[in-house]
Amino acid sequence: MFMGQYLHNLDEKGRIIIPTKIREQLTSTVVVTIGFDKCISLYSMEGWEKFQTSLLTLPANSQDARKHVRLIVGSASTLEFDKQGRINLPSNLLSHAGASKECVVVGVLDHVEIWCKEVWDKYQNEAMDDMEEIAEKLLQSGN
Protein backbone atom coordinates (compact mmCIF):
# COMPACT_ATOMS: atom_id res chain seq x y z
CA MET A 1 0.00 0.00 0.00
CA PHE A 2 1.25 3.44 -0.91
CA MET A 3 1.13 6.35 1.53
CA GLY A 4 2.72 9.69 2.30
CA GLN A 5 3.44 12.76 0.24
CA TYR A 6 6.74 13.89 -1.24
CA LEU A 7 7.77 17.09 -2.98
CA HIS A 8 9.78 16.58 -6.20
CA ASN A 9 10.58 18.68 -9.24
CA LEU A 10 9.99 17.88 -12.86
CA ASP A 11 13.07 18.41 -14.98
CA GLU A 12 13.00 20.15 -18.36
CA LYS A 13 12.32 16.81 -20.11
CA GLY A 14 9.25 16.00 -17.98
CA ARG A 15 11.02 13.47 -15.77
CA ILE A 16 10.25 13.12 -12.09
CA ILE A 17 11.91 11.06 -9.37
CA ILE A 18 9.55 8.63 -7.70
CA PRO A 19 10.51 8.43 -4.00
CA THR A 20 12.44 5.34 -2.91
CA LYS A 21 9.75 4.31 -0.37
CA ILE A 22 7.25 4.12 -3.21
CA ARG A 23 9.62 2.74 -5.84
CA GLU A 24 10.55 -0.18 -3.54
CA GLN A 25 6.96 -1.43 -3.89
CA LEU A 26 7.03 -1.29 -7.68
CA THR A 27 8.69 -3.24 -10.46
CA SER A 28 10.72 -1.42 -13.10
CA THR A 29 7.57 -0.84 -15.18
CA VAL A 30 4.52 1.23 -14.19
CA VAL A 31 1.39 2.56 -15.87
CA VAL A 32 0.43 6.23 -15.73
CA THR A 33 -2.83 7.82 -16.84
CA ILE A 34 -5.09 10.76 -16.16
CA GLY A 35 -6.37 10.87 -12.62
CA PHE A 36 -9.37 12.46 -11.00
CA ASP A 37 -9.26 16.03 -9.71
CA LYS A 38 -6.52 17.06 -12.20
CA CYS A 39 -3.74 14.69 -11.15
CA ILE A 40 -1.76 11.91 -12.80
CA SER A 41 -2.40 8.38 -11.51
CA LEU A 42 0.46 5.86 -11.36
CA TYR A 43 -0.18 2.12 -10.96
CA SER A 44 2.00 -0.89 -10.44
CA MET A 45 1.48 -3.45 -13.20
CA GLU A 46 -0.52 -5.59 -10.76
CA GLY A 47 -2.57 -2.58 -9.65
CA TRP A 48 -3.25 -1.62 -13.26
CA GLU A 49 -4.49 -5.14 -14.04
CA LYS A 50 -6.92 -4.95 -11.09
CA PHE A 51 -8.06 -1.49 -12.17
CA GLN A 52 -8.57 -2.67 -15.76
CA THR A 53 -10.66 -5.56 -14.47
CA SER A 54 -12.90 -3.10 -12.63
CA LEU A 55 -13.28 -1.06 -15.83
CA LEU A 56 -14.34 -4.20 -17.71
CA THR A 57 -17.29 -4.59 -15.33
CA LEU A 58 -18.78 -1.28 -16.48
CA PRO A 59 -21.76 -1.66 -18.83
CA ALA A 60 -20.65 -1.34 -22.47
CA ASN A 61 -24.08 0.02 -23.40
CA SER A 62 -23.58 3.03 -21.10
CA GLN A 63 -22.31 6.14 -22.87
CA ASP A 64 -20.79 7.43 -19.60
CA ALA A 65 -18.95 4.14 -19.04
CA ARG A 66 -17.55 4.22 -22.58
CA LYS A 67 -16.35 7.82 -22.13
CA HIS A 68 -14.78 6.97 -18.79
CA VAL A 69 -12.92 3.93 -20.14
CA ARG A 70 -11.79 5.71 -23.30
CA LEU A 71 -10.39 8.67 -21.40
CA ILE A 72 -8.54 6.61 -18.81
CA VAL A 73 -7.26 3.78 -20.99
CA GLY A 74 -6.67 6.00 -24.00
CA SER A 75 -4.47 8.27 -21.89
CA ALA A 76 -2.49 5.43 -20.30
CA SER A 77 1.20 4.81 -20.93
CA THR A 78 3.58 2.11 -19.75
CA LEU A 79 6.80 3.63 -18.41
CA GLU A 80 10.09 2.31 -17.08
CA PHE A 81 12.29 3.80 -14.39
CA ASP A 82 15.72 5.06 -15.39
CA LYS A 83 18.83 4.45 -13.24
CA GLN A 84 18.05 7.53 -11.11
CA GLY A 85 14.53 6.32 -10.28
CA ARG A 86 12.83 8.75 -12.66
CA ILE A 87 9.98 8.29 -15.09
CA ASN A 88 9.39 10.47 -18.11
CA LEU A 89 5.79 11.66 -17.94
CA PRO A 90 3.96 12.10 -21.26
CA SER A 91 3.15 15.69 -22.22
CA ASN A 92 -0.62 15.01 -22.41
CA LEU A 93 -0.61 13.94 -18.75
CA LEU A 94 1.53 16.90 -17.68
CA SER A 95 -0.93 19.18 -19.46
CA HIS A 96 -3.92 17.46 -17.81
CA ALA A 97 -2.37 18.01 -14.36
CA GLY A 98 -1.09 21.52 -15.08
CA ALA A 99 2.34 20.36 -13.96
CA SER A 100 5.40 22.38 -14.88
CA LYS A 101 8.02 22.30 -12.10
CA GLU A 102 7.10 21.55 -8.50
CA CYS A 103 5.04 18.39 -8.01
CA VAL A 104 3.73 16.42 -5.07
CA VAL A 105 3.83 12.62 -5.22
CA VAL A 106 1.04 11.23 -3.03
CA GLY A 107 0.55 7.60 -1.97
CA VAL A 108 -3.17 6.72 -2.09
CA LEU A 109 -3.31 3.11 -0.89
CA ASP A 110 -3.56 1.13 -4.18
CA HIS A 111 -1.97 3.73 -6.47
CA VAL A 112 0.13 6.89 -6.51
CA GLU A 113 -0.91 10.34 -7.64
CA ILE A 114 1.31 13.07 -9.05
CA TRP A 115 -0.02 16.60 -8.57
CA CYS A 116 1.08 20.08 -9.58
CA LYS A 117 2.07 21.55 -6.19
CA GLU A 118 -0.25 24.55 -6.49
CA VAL A 119 -3.23 22.37 -7.44
CA TRP A 120 -2.43 19.93 -4.60
CA ASP A 121 -2.12 22.70 -2.02
CA LYS A 122 -5.51 24.15 -3.02
CA TYR A 123 -7.15 20.71 -3.11
CA GLN A 124 -5.68 19.70 0.25
CA ASN A 125 -6.72 22.94 1.95
CA GLU A 126 -10.29 22.62 0.67
CA ALA A 127 -10.49 18.95 1.65
CA MET A 128 -9.14 19.68 5.13
CA ASP A 129 -11.87 22.27 5.66
CA ASP A 130 -14.49 19.59 4.92
CA MET A 131 -12.75 16.59 6.52
CA GLU A 132 -15.11 16.09 9.48
CA GLU A 133 -18.23 16.59 7.35
CA ILE A 134 -16.98 14.15 4.72
CA ALA A 135 -16.12 11.53 7.37
CA GLU A 136 -19.59 11.86 8.86
CA LYS A 137 -21.27 11.46 5.44
CA LEU A 138 -19.19 8.39 4.64
CA LEU A 139 -20.01 6.86 8.00
CA GLN A 140 -23.74 7.47 7.47
CA SER A 141 -23.69 5.93 4.00
CA GLY A 142 -21.98 2.80 5.34
CA ASN A 143 -18.81 3.20 3.21
Side-chain angles (χ1 to χ4, degrees):
M1 292 294 177
F2 303 105
M3 62 184 181
Q5 57 180 286
Y6 310 85
L7 184 63
H8 283 278
N9 288 331
L10 282 172
D11 69 12
E12 65 281 347
K13 295 180 181 178
R15 296 176 299 194
I16 188 168
I17 293 174
I18 300 301
T20 304
K21 287 185 179 185
I22 291 175
R23 223 173 39 247
E24 288 172 344
Q25 299 178 63
L26 300 165
T27 60
S28 61
T29 305
V30 295
V31 175
V32 293
T33 190
I34 58 172
F36 300 113
D37 304 310
K38 297 194 68 73
C39 73
I40 298 168
S41 291
L42 180 150
Y43 294 88
S44 67
M45 293 308 291
E46 179 183 344
W48 179 249
E49 289 173 17
K50 287 179 184 176
F51 185 61
Q52 276 184 298
T53 300
S54 72
L55 293 176
L56 287 169
T57 66
L58 297 173
N61 61 343
S62 164
Q63 184 177 14
D64 286 341
R66 291 190 309 270
K67 282 181 186 178
H68 182 68
V69 171
R70 284 179 185 135
L71 287 172
I72 291 175
V73 179
S75 298
S77 295
T78 303
L79 304 176
E80 293 193 14
F81 289 103
D82 66 13
K83 292 177 184 177
Q84 286 79 36
R86 300 175 298 192
I87 53 173
N88 192 357
L89 295 169
S91 60
N92 66 314
L93 297 183
L94 293 172
S95 177
H96 164 76
S100 58
K101 184 70 175 161
E102 287 187 310
C103 291
V104 181
V105 178
V106 182
V108 192
L109 298 176
D110 66 342
H111 70 286
V112 176
E113 295 177 343
I114 301 168
W115 291 75
C116 166
K117 184 180 181 319
E118 294 82 23
V119 175
W120 171 252
D121 288 344
K122 181 177 185 235
Y123 177 85
Q124 187 177 33
N125 288 335
E126 290 173 2
M128 289 293 269
D129 289 343
D130 299 332
M131 192 169 118
E132 287 82 11
E133 184 180 328
I134 292 167
E136 193 171 312
K137 285 180 187 176
L138 291 172
L139 184 61
Q140 289 173 358
S141 70
N143 292 327

